[in-house]
Amino acid sequence: NVDIDDRRMMEEALRESEASYRTLVDALPDGMLVHDGETIAFANGAAARDFGAEGPSALVGLPITAVCAEPFRAQQAERM
């Protein structure tokens, strides 16, 4: 029972930490993208604004080259 209570407390602390992090990242005035080397996994609201997307979810799932300036697309594609 103690192990279960400890686990629940740790899970709640993790949820709170993730919520705090998300609030911070969403409030950034600068665009922030997270990618796996090929695909955008996360974008904040400022990134959506910077790239003219309707919202962050419009960027998630796109290839990272979709947001690279034309002169850098070939270079980025080589890295993938």
Side-chain angles (χ1 to χ4, degrees):
N1 196 5
V2 172
D3 289 340
I4 292 172
D5 290 340
D6 287 345
R7 182 181 175 108
R8 286 183 184 151
M9 288 173 48
M10 287 188 293
E11 289 173 350
E12 180 60 27
L14 179 59
R15 277 191 292 278
E16 289 174 6
S17 176
E18 289 172 344
S20 294
Y21 176 76
R22 181 164 300 270
T23 298
L24 173 67
V25 170
D26 286 342
L28 289 174
D30 297 318
M32 180 177 176
L33 297 174
V34 176
H35 62 87
D36 63 8
E38 295 182 10
T39 305
I40 298 170
F42 172 84
N44 68 355
R49 181 197 67 232
D50 292 348
F51 291 110
E54 288 187 25
S57 62
L59 295 172
V60 173
L62 292 177
I64 191 66
T65 54
V67 296
C68 289
E70 185 62 41
F72 302 105
R73 286 185 183 167
Q75 181 182 15
Q76 182 63 33
E78 288 175 14
R79 292 181 182 173
M80 300 181 342

